Amino acid sequence: MGVAGSGKTTLGVALAQRLDRHFVDADDHHPPANRLKMAAGRALSDADRQPWLDTLANLLASSPPLILACSALRHAYRQHLSAHCTNPPRFIWLDVPEPILQQRLEQREANSQHFMPASQLRNQLDTLEAPHANEHILRIPADQPVDAIVNEVCSALTGSA
């Protein structure tokens, strides 16, 4: 979990390879209307996000263990994603300083056709609700090399790197 540019997809792919799990990018499940809205620089509302969250929650509840890269910015979103899972998902919060996020998003915007413009970073940071103590979310500083993050996550979740 984390805001745009925090490295969710990059880490998710690397972690899925390390743990031999299927990887799913939540961005791939946004309805076209959501993608168009974000590409136009408009923030999504909770109502916009609801069908997307429903799809992701169903995926988590009905699939074998997988790695899901998802913003999950609010506590309510994380609760919704967890609600129907037999084994509640483990959330990893990729925490990155804002200047690094801005730089990553500007580079991504210049090099790809990703629908989330760098101009939406402030909205994402304002929407992000830091995890509650009872959520037991692993907070990882994600301004380090991917291999180091994968090792830290694996060590924390499985006890081995």
Side-chain angles (χ1 to χ4, degrees):
M1 65 165 278
V3 299
S6 61
K8 297 178 300 289
T9 299
T10 301
L11 176 65
V13 168
L15 196 57
Q17 288 174 344
R18 176 79 63 90
L19 298 175
D20 193 29
R21 299 270 192 249
H22 179 67
F23 171 74
V24 174
D25 193 328
D27 285 348
D28 294 339
H29 295 274
H30 270 295
N34 284 9
R35 287 173 171 264
L36 290 171
K37 190 171 184 178
M38 287 184 280
R42 296 187 352 249
L44 297 179
S45 67
D46 284 347
D48 294 327
R49 286 186 180 98
Q50 195 59 53
W52 174 68
L53 289 167
D54 290 343
T55 297
L56 297 174
N58 289 333
L59 180 68
L60 285 171
S62 63
S63 298
L66 57 83
I67 306 294
L68 173 68
C70 179
S71 54
L73 297 175
R74 294 184 193 262
H75 176 73
Y77 304 164
R78 296 186 293 270
Q79 282 186 309
H80 186 77
L81 291 172
S82 302
H84 302 290
C85 294
T86 305
N87 295 312
R90 300 287 309 265
F91 289 92
I92 301 161
W93 176 17
L94 299 178
D95 192 14
V96 183
E98 185 173 351
I100 293 173
L101 290 167
Q102 188 67 41
Q103 179 183 20
R104 287 179 181 179
L105 289 174
E106 288 170 2
Q107 284 178 321
R108 181 171 79 181
E109 199 169 52
N111 297 324
S112 74
Q113 297 299 315
H114 196 277
F115 59 84
M116 175 66 90
S119 63
Q120 285 296 297
L121 177 59
R122 173 53 32 213
N123 177 269
Q124 289 240 312
L125 290 168
D126 291 345
T127 302
L128 176 66
E129 292 178 353
H132 298 143
N134 65 344
E135 286 186 274
H136 306 291
I137 292 177
L138 178 60
R139 183 178 185 173
I140 300 286
D143 56 351
Q144 54 187 323
V146 175
D147 286 343
I149 299 170
V150 169
N151 288 339
E152 188 172 344
V153 169
C154 287
S155 179
L157 295 180
T158 67
S160 63

